[in-house]
Amino acid sequence: MLQSLSIKQFAIIDELDIQFSDGLTVLSGETGAGKSIIIDAIGQLIGMRASSDFVRHGEKKAIIEGLFDIDNAQEAIHMLSELGIDINEDFLIVKREIFNSGKSVCRINNQTVTLHDLRQVMQELLDIHGQHETQALLKQKYHVELLDRYADGAYDDALKQYRQTYEMHQAKLTELAELESADQALLQRLDLMKFQFDELKEAKLQEDEVAQLEVDIKRIQNSEQLSLALNNAYITLTDEHAITDRLHELSTQLQQIDQILPETYTHLKEQVDQFYYTLEDAKHQLYDEMNQNEFDEQMLNELESRMNLLNNLKRKYGKDISDLIRYQAKLEDEINKIENYEESTAQLRADIQQLAEQLMIDGQHLSQERRKVARTLRDHIVQEIQNLQMKDANLEISFKPYEKPQKDGIEHIEFLISPNKGEPLKSLNKIASGGELSRIMLALKSIFVRSRGQTAILFDEVDSGVSGQAAQKMAEKMKQIASVIQVICISHLPQVASMSDHHLYISKREKDDRTTTSVQELTGDARVEEVARMISGATVTDLTKQSAKEMIEQNQTFNA
C-alpha cells in the first residue's frame, strides 16, 4: 500500500505531501489542476521513463519519494532480499531524483538501484492503469497473456515444455539458414578457421602447462642458488652433528626409559620416530634433487621458446590456455560442418523435422490445457461485464491455428465480444467503444486483482466515456476491488467520488507569478460541494447539493 507521497519541483508542483489510506481514494479537480501530474509522479516510483521536462522550470532536479507498506507483498520482499536491500518493519522508501539533464537516480531504502531492478520490484507492489493499457486490450498478444495469468500456474509445465521445444526448433532453423547461406565469404572464413586450427593443433596445448613452465624455467635460471641451498640442507642432515643422528639417540634413550616406566613415554617415542623418518625421507629427496639439478642452457632455451609460443597465442586470440583448447575444439567442429555441408544440412533438416513434430505435440497439449482454463475465464469475464451494465454482452475466447507455431503457442488466442443481443462476435477493436473498453478492462482488473499479489492499483480516468447507471456500476466495482487492495483513482464521475473512502481535491493557484498545485482532503460539506460540482459542472445549486448529499449517503452504505 502507498502510505505517503512527497513531490518536489515536479512539473507545476513545487512541493506537495500527500497521505494515502487503504480503501478507495478518489482524486478530483478542475482540468489542468495537476491530477495526472500526481499519477505521473507515482509512475516515476515504479520505473516509468523519466524526462527533463518533468523538472520544474528553473530548478536543477525533481524529487519524488514514496513510503510503501509491504507487509503482505511476499514476492517483492523476496526480490528485495535477492538485491541485498534491508527491509525494516515491512516499510519501503522509494525515491527517484530526475535532473534537468534528463538523467535520473533510483533508490530503495536509500540504496541505489538500476531502473530495471526498480521496475521489477515495484511491479509487484503497484499497478497504474490508464488509457494506454485500455488500448493494449485491443492487441491479441495481451489476450494470451491474460489467459496464462488467469491459469495461475495450472499449465506451467506444458507451457515450459512447449517454449523449450520452440527455442530448440528456432535454433536449428537458424543454424540451417547460416549453413545454406554459404558463399565466398564463408569459404574465406573456412580458410581462416583452418589456419587458426592448424596453428593451435600444432602447439599441442595442455591444461596448466604455463604454470609448470614457469616453475621449470625458474628452476634452471636459479640452478646455482638452488644447488647451494640443496647442498647446505643436505649437509645439515648428514654431517657429524646431523639432527637425524641426535633423533636416533633420543629414540634409543626413550626406549630405555620405556622399559623402566612402561607406556609412560611410548607416545613421545612414536613422535620422535616419526620426525626421524620424515627427515630421513627429506635427506633422500634432497640427494636426488642435487643430482638432478644442473644448469642446462639448451633446456632453458626450449622452455623459454615454448613459453613465448604460448604467450603469443594468448595475445593473438585474447584467451587463456583453457579457452584456447576449447576454441580449438569449436573450430574443428565448425570446419567439419562446413566441409561436410551436405551431411550437416541433411542432419539439421532431420533434427528440424523431428523438433517440428514434437513442437506440434507440445503445442496441442498446451492448447488443450488453455482451452480448459479459457472456459472458466470466459464465464468469469461475462459475469463481470454484465454486472457493469452490459447485460446483453457476450464474450468468447477464440482459438485459431497460426500458419506456423509462434513463441506463445500454435493457436491465435483472441477475446471476441458481442456487446448487444443479436450482434455477432467481433474483435474488440472493431466494435468496442471507449466506455465499453473501460468496463471490460475494469472487469478484468477485478478478476486479476487477487492473483497479482499487488498492494495498490491506480486508475487514471479509467471511467472515461461512461455515465449514468454504468458509471454507478463501475463505482461499485472499484469499491469491490478496494476491499482487496488499495485503489487510487482519478475520476470525473460523481458516482465514483461519492463511493470513495477518501476524497482528495486537487487545485492550482498562482503565487509569485508561478503556478503551483495543492491537495486537500474533502469531508462533510466540502465533499458535498465537490460532488455537486461534478454532477452539474460549473453551476452548483441547492438541488445539486441535495442530490450530491443523497448520492454520498447512499453509496457510503454500499457493501463491497
Side-chain angles (χ1 to χ4, degrees), residues 51-279:
S51 167
S52 59
D53 294 336
F54 285 145
V55 182
R56 186 171 168 86
H57 179 68
E59 301 295 336
K60 292 182 178 180
K61 66 178 178 179
I63 303 174
I64 306 99
E65 188 172 298
L67 176 65
F68 293 84
D69 179 351
I70 58 170
D71 183 35
N72 297 317
Q74 296 304 315
E75 184 61 31
I77 292 172
H78 173 72
M79 294 174 71
L80 290 165
S81 176
E82 291 287 312
L83 292 172
I85 296 174
D86 294 331
I87 304 171
N88 298 318
E89 300 179 354
D90 295 325
F91 289 103
L92 202 67
I93 298 175
V94 181
K95 187 175 183 180
R96 186 93 180 264
E97 294 177 290
I98 306 167
F99 297 88
N100 55 18
S101 63
K103 295 181 179 180
S104 69
V105 177
C106 313
R107 292 187 176 89
I108 299 178
N109 280 1
N110 208 34
Q111 181 172 323
T112 303
V113 297
T114 65
L115 187 60
H116 174 268
D117 288 339
L118 178 68
R119 286 173 181 160
Q120 293 296 107
V121 172
M122 296 307 293
Q123 73 179 5
E124 301 298 331
L125 296 178
L126 189 148
D127 177 25
I128 295 183
H129 171 77
Q131 290 298 313
H132 70 282
E133 189 174 356
T134 301
Q135 293 303 311
L137 183 59
L138 302 178
K139 300 177 181 178
Q140 176 270 332
K141 181 182 178 181
Y142 192 68
H143 300 177
V144 69
E145 289 177 3
L146 288 172
L147 178 59
D148 289 346
R149 192 190 307 167
Y150 185 79
D152 196 24
Y155 47 75
D156 272 1
D157 290 342
L159 183 58
K160 182 179 179 181
Q161 178 61 48
Y162 174 83
R163 285 179 174 167
Q164 182 178 343
T165 305
Y166 178 83
E167 293 298 335
M168 292 170 62
H169 184 250
Q170 290 298 114
K172 290 293 182 180
L173 286 173
T174 301
E175 192 175 348
L176 178 61
E178 289 176 351
L179 274 180
E180 288 179 337
S181 65
D183 54 16
Q184 189 62 35
L186 185 60
L187 295 176
Q188 291 174 355
R189 184 167 181 266
L190 177 61
D191 291 338
L192 175 62
M193 286 191 295
K194 281 184 174 181
F195 173 80
Q196 292 178 339
F197 175 74
D198 291 341
E199 186 175 34
L200 293 172
K201 183 179 180 181
E202 186 178 350
K204 298 179 181 178
L205 302 172
Q206 301 175 36
E207 295 280 1
D208 303 323
E209 183 181 4
V210 171
Q212 187 59 50
L213 281 173
E214 289 174 346
V215 171
D216 293 342
I217 290 172
K218 188 174 182 180
R219 174 194 293 271
I220 297 177
Q221 288 176 335
N222 296 277
S223 60
E224 184 176 346
Q225 292 174 286
L226 182 60
S227 293
L228 180 60
L230 288 169
N231 186 61
N232 290 337
Y234 183 75
I235 290 173
T236 301
L237 294 175
T238 56
D239 65 6
E240 57 181 342
H241 302 296
I243 191 172
T244 50
D245 294 339
R246 303 301 301 274
L247 285 172
H248 185 268
E249 292 176 8
L250 178 58
S251 176
T252 302
Q253 293 163 358
L254 289 172
Q255 185 175 8
Q256 292 174 358
I257 295 172
D258 190 58
Q259 290 173 351
I260 300 171
L261 301 172
E263 299 184 1
T264 304
Y265 289 90
T266 301
H267 180 64
L268 179 59
K269 180 181 182 303
E270 290 174 352
Q271 289 182 316
V272 170
D273 288 344
Q274 184 177 351
F275 292 146
Y276 172 77
Y277 292 123
T278 299
L279 292 175

Side-chain angles (χ1 to χ4, degrees), residues 281-332:
D281 288 340
K283 182 170 67 176
H284 293 301
Q285 289 179 28
L286 289 168
Y287 181 77
D288 293 339
E289 192 72 38
M290 287 168 57
N291 290 332
Q292 294 176 11
N293 184 63
E294 60 180 14
F295 180 76
D296 188 334
E297 185 175 358
Q298 181 178 351
M299 177 60 70
L300 178 60
N301 290 336
E302 291 177 2
L303 293 173
E304 288 180 337
S305 295
R306 178 67 176 174
M307 180 67 83
N308 289 334
L309 172 64
L310 297 181
N311 287 334
N312 287 334
L313 290 175
K314 287 195 292 181
R315 280 193 297 269
K316 186 174 182 179
Y317 296 104
K319 305 173 186 293
D320 60 28
I321 298 300
S322 297
D323 289 333
L324 287 176
I325 292 173
R326 286 191 291 271
Y327 183 55
Q328 179 184 338
K330 181 182 177 182
L331 285 172
E332 185 174 22

